[in-house]
Amino acid sequence: MPFLIAVLGLLGAAAIWWYRMKAMNEAAREVADVVGRVQGNIRRKKLRKQAALSPLTAIDDPVVAAATLITSIVSEQGPILPQREAALREVISQIAQSPKKTDEAVVYAKWAAAQVDDTTIVIDKLAPFLRERLDPHERDDLLRMLNRVAQGGEQRLRTADQRMLRLRQKLGFEVN
């Protein structure tokens, strides 16, 4: 009888330890799953950010860059109304060599601005590109173009003033 009790005791202890090891294994698996999900979320966020920037990194023409920058700033409050689009086409046609180039620049600008949610990112990516390729007089013209398009609707855009200051700073002008 004492031998039977000892065997049952050992089996009970083994069952308890087996159950504890199984629970620890499940807990470790859950921790590994959580870590894997967090790492996956970080990777996906990085990929989404890169994908969001890809329309901007593909720009290699100052006319398209200017159109995209202006479109992004004026479309921040909502979709571009026909009056603002007409003003955008007018200012872009003054710097483009042909009507075809104007159409291409405006269409690409509207698409790229719709792809990138944050106007600040557009300014931060395109302003250095334009700063390298435009002289100070042309950069000043760009700011005037943005101002004309921002005033092109039925009411002036409030956020355009804030973005204008950031753009001025990124283009290399003094900001008071």
Side-chain angles (χ1 to χ4, degrees):
M1 192 65 151
F3 178 72
L4 186 59
I5 292 174
V7 170
L8 287 176
L10 284 174
L11 287 175
I16 290 172
W17 277 104
W18 176 79
Y19 178 75
R20 290 180 100 190
M21 294 301 274
K22 185 178 174 185
M24 287 176 33
N25 190 17
E26 287 178 20
R29 229 182 271 133
E30 286 180 23
V31 168
D33 286 345
V34 168
V35 168
R37 272 189 253 126
V38 168
Q39 288 175 339
N41 285 340
I42 291 170
R43 274 190 236 112
R44 281 190 296 279
K45 184 177 180 182
K46 183 179 176 183
L47 288 173
R48 275 195 304 269
K49 187 174 180 180
Q50 287 176 342
L53 294 178
S54 65
L56 302 178
T57 56
I59 295 175
D60 61 352
D61 182 14
V63 174
V64 175
T68 304
L69 187 63
I70 293 170
T71 303
S72 179
I73 291 173
V74 299
S75 68
E76 190 173 29
Q77 294 286 312
I80 297 181
L81 301 174
Q83 292 173 327
R84 280 220 171 81
E85 185 174 344
L88 175 66
R89 285 184 181 279
E90 179 186 330
V91 296
I92 295 301
S93 68
Q94 294 172 359
I95 59 172
Q97 291 87 8
S98 67
K100 181 181 176 189
K101 183 159 180 141
T102 300
D103 288 339
E104 289 174 3
V106 171
V107 167
Y108 188 86
K110 287 170 60 177
W111 174 79
Q115 298 299 311
V116 181
D117 293 335
D118 192 4
T119 304
T120 327
I121 292 174
V122 176
I123 293 171
D124 291 345
K125 280 290 184 186
L126 294 180
F129 172 80
L130 290 169
R131 183 178 183 179
E132 292 173 1
R133 286 165 178 75
L134 303 178
D135 62 36
H137 178 70
E138 291 171 330
R139 285 185 251 153
D140 195 43
D141 285 345
L142 174 65
L143 294 173
R144 281 196 294 273
M145 290 166 55
L146 172 60
N147 202 17
R148 286 201 337 245
V149 174
Q151 292 174 354
E154 48 279 341
Q155 64 180 5
R156 182 157 181 20
L157 296 176
R158 283 179 278 130
T159 57
D161 292 335
Q162 299 164 355
R163 301 300 180 214
M164 182 78 85
L165 288 173
R166 184 173 185 87
L167 180 59
R168 286 182 64 81
Q169 180 184 16
K170 292 288 181 176
L171 287 175
F173 290 111
E174 280 190 33
V175 178
N176 295 341

